[in-house]
Amino acid sequence: MKKVIQIWVWIWIGLSASYTLAYPTYISLNGLWRYKVMVKPAPAMQLYRFHGTENTMKIPNNWYLAGIDHSGVVWFQRSFLLPPKYKGKRIFVEFKGIDYFADVWINEKFVGSHEGYFQTFSFDITDFVSWTKKNTITIRVDSPFEPIGEYWSLRKTLIKGVLNHHDTRPGGAWSARGQDKNSGGIWGDVNIVVYNKVRIKKVKISPFLESENLAMLSVKFVLEKFTDEDRFKICLSVLPHNFQGKRLILQKEIEQKEREKEYIFTIKVVNPKLWASWDYGSPNLYCLKAEVFSYTGNSLFTKEYVFGIRSIRVDKNGFWYLNGKRIFLRGTNYISSHWLSEMTKARFLKDLKMMKEANINIVRIHAHIEPEIFYQLADEIGIMIWQDFALQWGYSDDEEFKAEAVKQAKEMVNQLYNHPSIVAWCGHNEPPWDAWWMKYKYDDYDPQQNKILDELIYVALKEEDETRYIKAISATNEHPWYGWYSGTYQDYAKPSKTPLVAEFGAQALPDLASLLKFIPLKALFPKSEKDWQIWEYHNFQRHETFDLAKVPMGNDIFEFIANTQNYQAELTKYAAEKLRLQKFNPVGAIFQFMFREAWPSINWGIVDYYQRPKKAYFSLKHAYQPLLPIARLQERENNREIEIFVVNDWLKAFNLQVKWVVFDKDNKILTLGDKAVNIKENSLQRVGTVKVN
């Protein structure tokens, strides 16, 4: 039975400064590793023995980025020494990300396996290491090719979301080459972690706002011990991370005979500084410093966890509330890269800063999980995150897969739980049971496929997190795609069928400098079917561009680029403005698709793979201004009038002088006017009407 401890202790002095805070200690294993590509299948647990003549690869890395276009098994190995001063301590090996299956040996002795691409995981290797000679770590990494038809793409078994099947992948979603350029590899950091007798794990910090002036923190964690000692002292300190304030300290003596035990502590925070997105407040962050001491006062464990205090909820109308205030979500969809090791802090930071500059306040991480640093930066900058689980379209319905998916969904929540920027979890993007269009793609389409799977994942997400909004699926009816897959973009002026529009957009070519980096010069302005195949491999959609959107190709590549970028910009601006004119009637959230290209391609990104903005980036920036005037032409019988609105997403009112000028088609002034108005906070107001012939 889990023991719950609730205690409030306010002490303004810390424990003695003489204690050495040294554990856990990290020893990096990043660097050059030997590797061996296995072209022919071999028994899964048959250890490959390195000869010392193999090539080397810098880790972390995706093997495709290292020049290896391979689906299947790659073996990795390196040596390491352990400093004698750590003898007698507990030794773990920790991985920040391996795609997709991993089997690990230390000194040719098997220590464990793992499935999944995004999780941080570790193994206790204390009993396997040597203190007198070099140790070897050997890893079998398997990122397999899923048999086409049997599993891929309707009944996939790898939980990789868009990294395994998506329109934006190399080769696209529906070609036999859709699994090209595999995402496999040891893409995250590898460390030896040294612990001293104990470690704290599975830390979950849950804030609950009791009132404007009071928050209660529930701090839940598991204490694991590696000693026969059973009496310890725990000290939890709550202190400001990015602002000035006081430190709160909670101390407790505990007795633990079990190897592992879960604890829950409750800490009261008076007058909390709340986390909010950049436009609805400030991204205030706290730090929880967790310390464990032996009963005699020796430091055994010290670690810091950054978190924020805020509340989020969605009401029955689909409207979102941050810290008790109703807000409007101006969002985008995001896939950083199909090879996560190339995403540096600097590259993420540039994307996030560009998002903020474009007035985006929330990002939907589309059907995958990003590296940890992305969420840390979003916390700091103040951009909210809607986090999808890594399920995209159809998956196996067998019991083993469902169990693994539930397990990994829980791991996603627990790994990212303390990031205040994450305000929502979503289980599955366009599952088969909600995607009627799949009957045109698959002869054996089952309209009930994955329904039970999604119900199980929804329950699992709810069990793991009671503080955030949980969404079972991102539904097809929330993805209108007018002007690209159906209708015209003028259809966005019609009443929305849902309060949430999770995807809207259109493709556009990048500029010429970017296009020349991945399209051969001879195919730069396509003339033959062979040329078009190159373009379509890089995700360009001919039918949608020419037949549905009716974008003209023009006479040369310069006109072609301009035509597609103009169309994307027009659609983006029109859709965003018309949806914002339905603010809270019924629309509460909109998400443009998508922010940036995830590989050198021609896609829906308003920023290309090389982080160069397209014209639509500036259209979105304009249409997403928190305070935005919008003109709408209304035709009633033989009368036409222009309605002038102001949308205000700020949580404050404005006294404005609104001026307007109406031109005819020849740019002659028909009329002009101005009006002094008080614009209420977080509102949509019609401020004027102009009749025109």
Side-chain angles (χ1 to χ4, degrees):
M1 183 174 181
K2 295 177 180 177
K3 184 176 180 181
V4 177
I5 298 176
Q6 293 191 341
I7 183 169
W8 305 343
V9 180
W10 306 102
I11 302 175
W12 298 105
I13 58 171
L15 293 174
S16 171
S18 64
Y19 299 125
T20 302
L21 307 179
Y23 297 100
T25 295
Y26 293 83
I27 303 170
S28 176
L29 295 186
N30 292 348
L32 292 179
W33 289 56
R34 295 177 289 276
Y35 73 90
K36 175 67 176 180
V37 178
M38 302 304 291
V39 179
K40 296 181 179 179
M45 299 308 292
Q46 181 177 315
L47 178 66
Y48 173 78
R49 287 179 167 79
F50 281 75
H51 306 290
T53 57
E54 293 84 2
N55 292 327
T56 59
M57 182 188 302
K58 188 177 181 180
I59 297 297
N61 217 336
N62 295 91
W63 58 58
Y64 174 74
L65 297 180
I68 301 168
D69 196 352
H70 171 72
S71 295
V73 174
V74 178
W75 287 86
F76 294 90
Q77 186 181 82
R78 69 156 290 168
S79 301
F80 64 95
L81 286 169
L82 287 174
K85 64 181 178 180
Y86 296 130
K87 191 172 184 179
K89 309 304 182 187
R90 210 70 186 180
I91 311 299
F92 281 70
V93 60
E94 178 186 78
F95 304 94
K96 289 292 188 179
I98 294 182
D99 183 349
Y100 178 76
F101 297 101
D103 301 307
V104 181
W105 287 260
I106 297 292
N107 297 327
E108 300 191 351
K109 295 179 181 178
F110 179 72
V111 297
S113 298
H114 183 265
E115 176 178 351
Y117 87 89
F118 65 86
Q119 303 94 324
T120 292
F121 63 97
S122 63
F123 299 113
D124 187 340
I125 60 172
T126 308
D127 297 336
F128 300 91
V129 297
S130 170
W131 296 94
T132 59
K133 59 181 181 180
K134 283 186 178 180
N135 296 278
T136 59
I137 177 170
T138 307
I139 308 172
R140 180 186 189 270
V141 179
D142 185 8
S143 185
F145 183 90
E146 295 203 82
I148 296 175
E150 182 180 358
Y151 297 122
W152 195 89
S153 60
L154 183 58
R155 296 177 178 85
K156 302 184 290 290
T157 61
L158 304 180
I159 302 172
K160 294 172 63 169
V162 297
L163 303 188
N164 177 249
H165 181 209
H166 196 239
D167 312 73
T168 63
R169 274 202 48 72
W174 313 113
S175 77
R177 299 188 65 185
Q179 295 182 77
D180 275 15
K181 298 175 171 49
N182 190 284
S183 61
I186 305 174
W187 65 264
D189 294 334
V190 184
N191 291 298
I192 296 295
V193 187
V194 184
Y195 294 100
N196 182 10
K197 295 185 179 180
V198 300
R199 68 168 175 164
I200 285 178
K201 60 181 184 178
K202 299 181 181 177
V203 177
K204 295 173 79 171
I205 307 166
S206 303
F208 297 96
L209 289 180
E210 302 292 321
S211 68
E212 291 184 3
N213 303 317
L214 178 64
M216 305 301 292
L217 297 181
S218 172
V219 182
K220 178 164 47 173
F221 59 85
V222 171
L223 180 65
E224 181 181 15
K225 67 172 191 172
F226 316 110
T227 175
D228 293 334
E229 297 175 28
D230 55 18
R231 299 177 72 186
F232 305 97
K233 297 176 182 179
I234 291 178
C235 179
L236 301 180
S237 304
V238 175
L239 59 156
H241 180 69
N242 62 355
F243 62 93
Q244 297 296 315
K246 295 180 179 180
R247 176 193 297 252
L248 307 176
I249 299 179
L250 181 156
Q251 294 179 152
K252 179 64 179 176
E253 294 181 3
I254 63 169
E255 184 174 353
Q256 177 175 319
K257 298 186 180 299
E258 306 95 323
R259 179 183 172 104
E260 291 190 2
K261 195 174 196 178
E262 183 178 88
Y263 295 90
I264 300 177
F265 294 91
T266 302
I267 301 175
K268 180 167 66 174
V269 182
V270 178
N271 296 323
K273 298 275 283 186
L274 302 184
W275 186 95
S277 59
W278 62 267
D279 53 338
Y280 289 120
S282 299
N284 296 306
L285 295 170
Y286 286 86
C287 176
L288 174 75
K289 185 176 182 180
E291 300 172 277
V292 182
F293 299 86
S294 68
Y295 198 69
T296 58
N298 293 321
S299 175
L300 302 179
F301 179 94
T302 301
K303 196 167 183 178
E304 295 183 349
Y305 308 86
V306 176
F307 69 98
I309 299 176
R310 57 104 185 92
S311 69
I312 191 76
R313 71 179 179 91
V314 178
D315 69 13
K316 63 181 180 180
N317 298 312
F319 302 150
W320 296 64
Y321 292 76
L322 177 65
N323 299 327
K325 299 285 189 178
R326 186 167 65 168
I327 62 172
F328 190 88
L329 304 187
R330 303 181 306 275
T332 189
N333 286 257
Y334 184 63
I335 306 167
S336 68
S337 173
H338 290 298
W339 309 285
L340 295 179
S341 67
E342 72 173 351
M343 290 307 298
T344 62
K345 180 178 179 179
R347 192 164 167 82
F348 274 133
L349 189 59
K350 184 172 182 179
D351 279 349
L352 284 162
K353 285 183 175 179
M354 289 182 72
M355 290 174 189
K356 183 179 176 181
E357 289 169 2
N359 297 307
I360 290 164
N361 62 16
I362 187 167
V363 179
R364 178 186 173 200
I365 305 304
H366 190 88
H368 74 295
I369 292 92
E370 291 285 355
E372 183 83 15
I373 185 62
F374 172 83
Y375 303 96
Q376 294 173 11
L377 293 171
D379 292 343
E380 295 169 4
I381 291 173
I383 292 182
M384 294 178 285
I385 303 296
W386 161 350
Q387 179 60 58
D388 282 354
F389 185 46
L391 293 180
Q392 169 74 17
W393 297 327
Y395 290 85
S396 169
D397 261 331
D398 68 36
E399 297 304 315
E400 184 179 356
F401 178 83
K402 285 186 280 194
E404 181 63 29
V406 166
K407 171 178 169 288
Q408 290 199 31
K410 290 183 176 183
E411 289 172 340
M412 173 189 72
V413 173
N414 286 313
Q415 180 164 312
L416 301 177
Y417 187 88
N418 296 323
H419 292 287
S421 56
I422 299 177
V423 296
W425 306 108
C426 184
H428 196 162
N429 185 57
E430 294 184 3
W433 62 268
D434 181 67
W436 54 267
W437 52 267
M438 285 191 183
K439 64 184 178 182
Y440 301 111
K441 293 286 186 184
Y442 303 105
D443 294 335
D444 56 346
Y445 168 69
D446 176 1
Q448 293 300 307
Q449 183 182 339
N450 292 164
K451 197 167 195 316
I452 294 175
L453 167 69
D454 291 343
E455 290 169 354
L456 292 171
I457 289 173
Y458 178 76
V459 170
L461 295 175
K462 293 282 283 186
E463 287 176 349
E464 293 299 323
D465 193 346
E466 61 178 343
T467 70
R468 291 179 172 91
Y469 176 54
I470 311 295
K471 200 172 182 334
I473 66 169
S474 188
T476 301
N477 73 336
E478 297 167 342
H479 309 159
W481 282 104
Y482 298 135
W484 194 253
Y485 289 122
S486 67
T488 69
Y489 69 71
Q490 286 80 11
D491 291 331
Y492 284 108
K494 298 177 181 178
S496 177
K497 299 175 183 178
T498 170
L500 168 65
V501 176
E503 297 178 19
F504 68 90
Q507 285 191 348
L509 276 62
D511 64 24
L512 184 60
S514 294
L515 197 63
L516 283 168
K517 292 181 180 180
F518 60 91
I519 297 295
L521 188 61
K522 62 180 181 181
L524 191 60
F525 192 63
K527 295 183 176 63
S528 67
E529 188 61 27
K530 186 177 180 181
D531 292 343
W532 282 119
Q533 287 175 4
I534 294 172
W535 279 60
E536 289 175 354
Y537 183 81
H538 288 270
N539 306 136
F540 179 75
Q541 294 184 338
R542 261 197 289 180
H543 173 60
E544 287 77 8
T545 301
F546 300 134
D547 301 332
L548 297 181
K550 302 188 184 306
V551 178
M553 189 171 175
N555 297 311
D556 55 37
I557 189 60
F558 300 101
E559 290 186 9
F560 196 9
I561 291 170
N563 291 342
T564 61
Q565 289 206 12
N566 287 337
Y567 182 80
Q568 185 190 46
E570 290 168 8
L571 182 151
T572 299
K573 181 176 183 294
Y574 189 91
E577 289 186 351
K578 293 304 180 283
L579 291 169
R580 291 189 72 187
L581 282 174
Q582 301 178 59
K583 178 174 179 173
F584 303 142
N585 184 32
V587 178
I590 60 176
F591 291 78
Q592 173 267 342
F593 192 94
M594 58 186 194
F595 185 72
R596 184 172 58 73
E597 318 289 27
W599 76 295
S601 56
I602 303 161
N603 263 307
W604 297 272
I606 56 174
V607 176
D608 70 24
Y609 173 72
Y610 307 101
Q611 296 182 298
R612 296 171 62 91
K614 303 178 189 177
K615 189 174 181 180
Y617 171 83
F618 302 101
S619 294
L620 190 76
K621 179 179 180 178
H622 172 84
Y624 270 13
Q625 292 176 94
L627 187 65
L628 176 70
I630 304 176
R632 180 173 69 185
L633 177 65
Q634 292 283 73
E635 298 193 40
R636 298 183 178 91
E637 297 180 353
N638 295 324
N639 296 319
R640 295 191 303 166
E641 62 182 25
I642 296 173
E643 297 175 297
I644 300 169
F645 296 85
V646 173
V647 184
N648 180 17
D649 288 349
W650 296 112
L651 298 179
K652 57 184 177 181
F654 294 90
N655 291 316
L656 301 177
Q657 192 76 19
V658 180
K659 299 182 179 182
W660 57 85
V661 181
V662 179
F663 298 89
D664 66 11
K665 63 180 180 180
D666 297 319
N667 287 327
K668 293 181 180 179
I669 297 176
L670 291 178
T671 184
L672 50 81
D674 66 274
K675 186 177 182 180
V677 292
N678 174 260
I679 304 298
K680 298 177 182 178
E681 71 173 50
N682 200 19
S683 65
L684 167 67
Q685 291 178 230
R686 186 169 65 178
V687 299
T689 302
V690 181
K691 292 185 178 181
V692 294
N693 294 328

